[in-house]
Amino acid sequence: MNARPAKQVDAANIVGHFINGEEVHDDNRPTPITNPATGQVTRHVAMASQETVAEAIAAAEAAFPAWRDTPPAKRAGIMFRFKQLLEEHAEEIAAAITDEHGKVLDDAMGEFGRGVEIVDYACGIPELLKGEHSRNVGPAIDSWSEFQPLGVVAGITPFNFPSMVPMWMYPMAIACGNTFILKPSEKDPSAPMIAARLLKEAGLPDGVFNLVNGDKEAVDTLLNDERVQAISFVGSTPVAEYIYNTGTKNGKRIQALGGAKNHAVVMPDADIDNAVNALMGAAFGSCGERCMAISVAVCVGDEVANAVVRKLQAQIAELKVGTGTDITNQMGPLVTKAHYEKVRGYVDLGVEEGADLVADGRNLVVEGHEDGFFLGPCLFDNVTSAMRIYQEEIFGPVLCVVRAESEEQAMQLINDHEFGNGTCIFTRDGEAARYFADNIKVGMVGINVPLPVPVSYHSFGGWKRSLFGDLFAYGPDSVRFYTRRKTITQRWPSGGVREKAQFSFPGRQ
Ligand code: NAD
């Protein structure tokens, strides 16, 4: 490790940066990382200065020409090797996620696996980059479109999927022939750092993938440097909007995925037990810290609502909350003390706003882990669209039940909401499901599927204020996002025949 001395903390226990194939750290504001299950500081993360980010950009720029000209099949070969190495290090990566994020180990393994699927998809890059060819568009004239890499591109990612969300970006960006700078979340940076080491081990040339840890200073440096051609962002809506506005003003291509408030509609004909099981996992899995978490259950009719609430209460009473490392637990702690306080504040607010708190997780104590950031599952009934707990993203284990009179009324609520990331409907009625899928203003729709996260060969994204930009993440859209189309028209004059000058616009000949 080529370490520059850290001012306040043990240099061996600091997560630094990965620039030009080397792990480095500067002495700029080392920031504590806490294990959310114990509340204890376990290590520090370096916060990149403008100079450090500029160094990473310079390394990526220098590596671009050779990488761009590396045959796609060779790039795919490195991705194959990277995938193998990831799988060999799966447990180490899952442990790092649980240690810093808090989610239970099998959930950490789940997000890791979904990320690896995208590396798998990137292995098919020679096929994905094939262009479009037309012969004889005019006499002896051929034309084709090809997809060229952009150059230096960057990714900025949130805390809630420290392994998977970066993998939404860099495998496809790199496979397309770009060089990449990742700025992961400062709350849980270790899993992406392990991946950085494995990319090098897989044979990726130095400078093709770089990682800088940091905060707004690092992000703003990426946004304002003209060498950065495009930025993929995933995080909260206010930051997504800021990234989109600043980046596009600076002439960059931007996709910025933001926050969510995902509704599940439970129809009167639904299999209620199945719907309740699905709601439990979708609302409380990963402590509700998923952008696809269900945070609102819209029950059509009081009879359905009463049954859903009753069954949810029974299951909530049985839900095992505790450390992520104990594999018998189903839900771990929230990521930080500040986030715990924010989420708990929303529960207090819901009570003040007049919603019925029918399961209250605020007094949960996990024995032996009294300093951990544990909040038990919370369930509100009789929530209305006028309440802030309905309107705002809480990002914790809080499920709101809203009562509606019809499918149309349920859909109106969803369509009127500012977010449009994911949604689902529980029903046995194919016609109702089809109507829902056709008319709902949301980017990802599940029919009896609570978390309709697209697989790697489809693309992921929301509508409305859940996504700023035109293209979704990974899948086919990522080839378009990380490349620029070029259309070439070619003719080879034969027989020494000279063309006369033509002053009219070329037409069909
Ligand atoms: P966040 O917006 O606080 O941070 C995301 C990234 O932006 C981090 O790398 C952070 O360092 C950086 N950042 C934070 N504030 C910044 C600022 N003022 N200027 C520049 N950069 C800044 O998000 P988070 O709390 O880490 O993650 C949770 C959020 O992410 C939730 O809103 C969740 O819905 C969203 N999310 C969305 C998706 C999606 O696909 N739509 C997926 C995962 C998470």
Side-chain angles (χ1 to χ4, degrees):
M1 186 153 161
N2 173 16
R4 293 165 231 178
K7 264 182 194 154
Q8 302 150 26
V9 294
D10 173 12
N13 206 17
I14 189 162
V15 185
H17 318 293
F18 190 89
I19 298 174
N20 209 19
E22 293 283 326
E23 277 179 64
V24 295
H25 57 79
D26 46 31
D27 57 0
N28 199 16
R29 298 177 288 133
T31 299
I33 299 174
T34 309
N35 179 332
T38 63
Q40 302 302 308
V41 173
T42 49
R43 58 187 70 85
H44 285 70
V45 57
M47 294 280 125
S49 60
Q50 289 181 22
E51 294 70 33
T52 301
V53 179
E55 231 178 272
I57 297 170
E61 193 183 40
F64 176 63
W67 184 243
R68 172 204 133 114
D69 290 339
T70 301
K74 199 161 175 205
R75 301 201 292 251
I78 293 171
M79 283 295 143
F80 267 117
R81 180 77 189 115
F82 177 50
K83 183 186 168 216
Q84 285 168 338
L85 287 168
L86 282 170
E87 282 165 351
E88 285 165 22
H89 289 78
E91 282 177 13
E92 183 193 345
I93 292 172
I97 297 171
T98 296
D99 193 53
E100 293 178 351
H101 176 285
K103 65 178 73 174
V104 296
L105 270 173
D106 67 344
D107 194 32
M109 201 58 110
E111 77 148 285
F112 166 75
R114 291 303 297 262
V116 173
E117 282 175 23
I118 293 154
V119 181
D120 219 11
Y121 183 70
C123 291
I125 201 66
E127 175 70 21
L128 295 169
L129 279 181
K130 278 200 316 209
E132 300 158 353
H133 187 94
S134 299
R135 187 172 179 274
N136 276 349
V137 294
I141 301 177
D142 304 327
S143 184
W144 69 93
S145 292
E146 57 187 45
F147 299 95
Q148 299 194 345
L150 305 174
V152 179
V153 302
I156 299 157
T157 54
F159 78 83
N160 65 321
F161 288 110
S163 169
M164 179 183 78
V165 171
M167 285 198 266
W168 285 2
M169 303 172 182
Y170 67 79
M172 283 303 292
I174 288 172
C176 285
N178 301 283
T179 54
F180 196 87
I181 299 161
L182 175 67
K183 206 303 280 171
S185 170
E186 61 277 33
K187 298 189 178 102
D188 43 17
S190 290
M193 185 55 94
I194 298 171
R197 293 180 199 131
L198 298 181
L199 278 164
K200 184 176 169 90
E201 198 179 330
L204 193 73
D206 292 347
V208 174
F209 175 86
N210 306 276
L211 183 158
V212 290
N213 278 304
D215 53 10
K216 188 169 165 51
E217 181 173 340
V219 171
D220 284 345
T221 310
L222 291 167
L223 277 171
N224 290 312
D225 193 304
E226 61 182 23
R227 292 170 293 181
V228 177
Q229 303 296 313
I231 296 180
S232 300
F233 172 86
V234 176
S236 59
T237 286
V239 185
E241 192 167 25
Y242 166 73
I243 301 278
Y244 183 79
N245 289 341
T246 314
T248 51
K249 186 170 70 63
N250 289 345
K252 299 186 195 314
R253 184 179 290 184
I254 305 286
Q255 57 179 182
L257 283 69
K261 192 85 178 177
N262 306 312
H263 297 55
V265 177
V266 187
M267 294 291 285
D269 66 346
D271 174 339
I272 300 291
D273 287 329
N274 183 39
V276 167
N277 287 339
L279 285 174
M280 284 297 296
F284 303 120
S286 203
C287 213
E289 292 168 320
R290 291 179 180 144
C291 61
M292 289 293 274
I294 294 293
S295 47
V296 181
V298 189
C299 297
V300 177
D302 281 332
E303 211 178 305
V304 175
N306 293 339
V308 166
V309 168
R310 200 179 60 246
K311 286 169 189 269
L312 281 171
Q313 281 176 302
Q315 289 210 25
I316 285 171
E318 299 295 314
L319 191 99
K320 261 199 93 189
V321 185
T323 61
T325 47
D326 175 345
I327 55 165
T328 64
N329 289 327
Q330 294 158 308
M331 197 176 101
L334 287 159
V335 67
T336 56
K337 179 122 175 88
H339 192 56
Y340 168 86
E341 277 162 6
K342 179 179 161 193
V343 176
R344 197 188 160 102
Y346 270 110
V347 182
D348 298 341
L349 175 69
V351 174
E352 278 165 37
E353 288 184 308
D356 298 327
L357 184 60
V358 294
D360 184 354
R362 288 176 295 180
N363 296 322
L364 174 90
V365 176
V366 175
E367 242 176 77
H369 289 83
E370 287 74 9
D371 293 333
F373 313 136
F374 292 99
L375 180 71
C378 298
L379 180 66
F380 278 112
D381 193 4
N382 293 307
V383 174
T384 69
S385 59
M387 295 177 182
R388 277 181 56 203
I389 57 162
Y390 171 79
Q391 293 159 358
E392 298 172 19
E393 182 181 46
I394 298 175
F395 221 55
V398 183
L399 178 62
C400 296
V401 173
V402 177
R403 292 166 181 244
E405 283 167 13
S406 62
E407 182 186 16
E408 283 73 18
Q409 201 187 50
M411 288 174 64
Q412 195 63 51
L413 277 169
I414 300 172
N415 287 345
D416 286 347
H417 205 285
E418 70 167 314
F419 297 123
N421 212 39
T423 187
C424 85
I425 185 167
F426 293 102
T427 183
R428 289 186 168 104
D429 179 345
E431 195 182 343
R434 190 168 189 275
Y435 180 77
F436 183 82
D438 273 356
N439 294 291
I440 207 74
K441 293 179 182 157
V442 172
M444 293 169 284
V445 180
I447 295 165
N448 298 315
V449 173
L451 297 177
V453 178
V455 291
S456 62
Y457 40 98
H458 288 260
S459 296
F460 180 111
W463 285 15
K464 298 185 277 185
R465 289 174 61 76
S466 292
L467 187 147
F468 300 85
D470 304 307
L471 293 167
F472 280 19
Y474 64 82
D477 269 15
S478 62
V479 180
R480 291 292 170 269
F481 185 79
Y482 292 123
T483 61
R484 204 171 264 140
R485 176 187 286 268
K486 183 176 277 181
T487 305
I488 299 154
T489 303
Q490 170 179 274
R491 173 170 178 259
W492 293 104
S494 58
V497 179
R498 293 236 172 272
E499 265 185 10
K500 289 195 182 119
Q502 266 194 14
F503 298 97
S504 59
F505 196 71
R508 276 184 156 189
Q509 295 160 50

